[in-house]
Amino acid sequence: MKLVPVFVILAHISQHASGVEVEVYEGEESVLLPCQVPAPLSKDDVVVWRRDDLNPAIIHTLIKEHDDIINQNPRYTSRTSVQKEALQTGDLSLTLRNPTVSDSGTYICTTRSFGEDRSTTEVQLKVKGPSPVWVKVVPAVLIPLVLLAAAVAVFMSLVYKRMKKTAVCQLKAVDVTEGAESVLLPFESKKCKREDIIVEWKRIQDKEIKAIVYEQGQTQHHKNNKPFRRRTEMKKDPRTTGNASLTLRNVSCEDGGVYICTVCDNEGKTLEQQVVVLLVHEGWLKTIRGLFHIGTENNDEPATPLSLLPK
């Protein structure tokens, strides 16, 4: 029987002595001092926020759901507010704007009914000096960097996916000397291993010139342009080997240029492409002949008889 009143007293003391610590840097826009009580309160209840170390001690008063600033300490004029529906919600938290170091102290929130205190909550506010520059600079710099890094990562991911799906392969270059018996323009791809593929080699030089067309399991020589007829072939079946390399015979300087191999399905959808640059160099004999030929254009008599040069 004796334990009941002791328990009630201890609970009351705990509630009375309970406090909350709030820290904030000077220069912040505002700080919230929390205070929660069971709701709803009576419209006749009075809410008082105070600091007992000040004179006057009143920080903010709420009477009949209206702010009463008559007895407010002048230091807090126009700097405090409580929610309009505080009595209905039980949220009596005080918003203190533009906190300064001198605002540090113990704030007490009390509810009064018919002149008697019903509940009391203490909030210990600690306002620190102005926040270090890095506190504001680091987020201002770091956040954009993080966002930029994320954007770059997303962009690179999209580029990577695009590269995996893109039709154009890396550029390749092939060197050959004029007069060579043949030259190989390389292209291998697993996408060639299909029954319905169409392989087409073209040269881009003023206009598109078809070098060779592979369709329906065989080379369509009749679709080749005149400069390449009877001079090109695919030595391997792309459908089984994945090799669509082009062999070009009897290489001349006029054969130089940019060649594009396109692999399509029978509906015309491009599966993959390969770009090959063919560089054809003049043979040394033709170069020497050209030099002596140039010499005869500027002189009445040739320096060396052309008939003496090897043919």
Side-chain angles (χ1 to χ4, degrees):
M1 296 294 293
K2 294 181 180 181
L3 292 176
V4 175
V6 173
F7 174 78
V8 172
I9 293 173
L10 289 176
H12 179 67
I13 294 174
S14 176
Q15 181 180 2
H16 229 287
S18 63
V20 178
E21 293 185 359
V22 176
E23 293 186 355
V24 67
Y25 282 106
E26 185 178 47
E28 295 295 328
E29 184 177 349
S30 65
V31 61
L32 185 69
L33 308 184
C35 179
Q36 299 284 341
V37 298
L41 281 73
S42 170
K43 292 183 178 181
D44 295 324
D45 287 352
V46 178
V47 179
V48 178
W49 277 92
R50 72 179 192 274
R51 269 184 64 181
D52 290 342
D53 60 325
L54 299 180
N55 186 22
I58 303 300
I59 305 300
H60 194 93
T61 305
L62 188 67
I63 300 177
K64 295 185 180 296
E65 300 182 319
H66 295 285
D67 296 326
D68 182 7
I69 59 175
I70 295 178
N71 299 316
Q72 185 181 43
N73 189 301
R75 290 173 49 182
Y76 293 91
T77 301
S78 303
R79 295 176 58 213
T80 61
S81 62
V82 177
Q83 292 185 7
K84 294 182 179 180
E85 300 179 352
L87 297 180
Q88 286 75 30
T89 63
D91 185 358
L92 310 180
S93 301
L94 177 73
T95 298
L96 175 60
R97 290 179 287 276
N98 304 320
T100 63
V101 174
S102 61
D103 291 327
S104 298
T106 301
Y107 291 74
I108 302 173
C109 176
T110 304
T111 60
R112 297 176 180 173
S113 180
F114 300 105
E116 294 184 3
D117 292 351
R118 294 182 55 188
S119 65
T120 300
T121 301
E122 293 184 0
V123 179
Q124 186 69 35
L125 175 63
K126 183 178 181 181
V127 182
K128 301 179 181 180
S131 59
V133 175
W134 64 267
V135 173
K136 296 182 179 179
V137 173
V138 170
V141 175
L142 188 58
I143 292 176
L145 287 178
V146 171
L147 294 177
L148 179 61
V152 171
V154 172
F155 175 76
M156 293 304 295
S157 176
L158 294 176
V159 170
Y160 176 72
K161 291 180 179 178
R162 178 64 179 171
M163 288 178 64
K164 290 181 66 177
K165 295 180 180 180
T166 187
V168 180
C169 300
Q170 290 184 346
L171 181 68
K172 292 186 178 182
V174 177
D175 288 325
V176 68
T177 301
E178 183 182 26
E181 183 178 348
S182 66
V183 64
L184 183 69
L185 307 184
F187 179 44
E188 292 187 35
S189 173
K190 295 181 180 180
K191 294 182 179 179
C192 291
K193 294 183 178 182
R194 296 174 48 156
E195 291 295 328
D196 61 342
I197 63 163
I198 299 174
V199 181
E200 184 178 74
W201 278 92
K202 294 181 181 180
R203 186 180 68 176
I204 307 301
Q205 188 173 317
D206 299 332
K207 61 180 180 178
E208 293 186 349
I209 300 178
K210 294 181 181 179
I212 193 170
V213 178
Y214 176 91
E215 186 178 4
Q216 296 179 351
Q218 57 185 348
T219 303
Q220 308 292 331
H221 290 288
H222 64 282
K223 294 185 178 182
N224 299 351
N225 289 92
K226 188 175 180 180
F228 295 101
R229 286 179 185 172
R230 303 185 183 87
R231 296 177 55 218
T232 58
E233 67 174 327
M234 287 184 187
K235 293 186 177 181
K236 298 181 180 180
D237 186 351
R239 297 179 303 173
T240 57
T241 63
N243 191 331
S245 300
L246 174 70
T247 298
L248 175 62
R249 294 185 295 273
N250 302 325
V251 183
S252 65
C253 286
E254 289 75 15
D255 293 329
V258 179
Y259 291 77
I260 298 179
C261 179
T262 304
V263 180
C264 304
D265 60 19
N266 56 7
E267 295 180 356
K269 179 182 177 181
T270 300
L271 303 177
E272 194 164 351
Q273 285 184 323
Q274 174 70 63
V275 180
V276 179
V277 178
L278 177 60
L279 304 175
V280 183
H281 305 285
E282 286 187 347
W284 66 270
L285 182 58
K286 184 174 181 180
T287 301
I288 293 177
R289 284 178 176 274
L291 290 175
F292 281 104
H293 180 67
I294 293 173
T296 62
E297 292 178 352
N298 299 325
N299 299 284
D300 296 334
E301 296 181 1
T304 304
L306 293 177
S307 59
L308 296 180
L309 293 175
K311 297 182 179 181

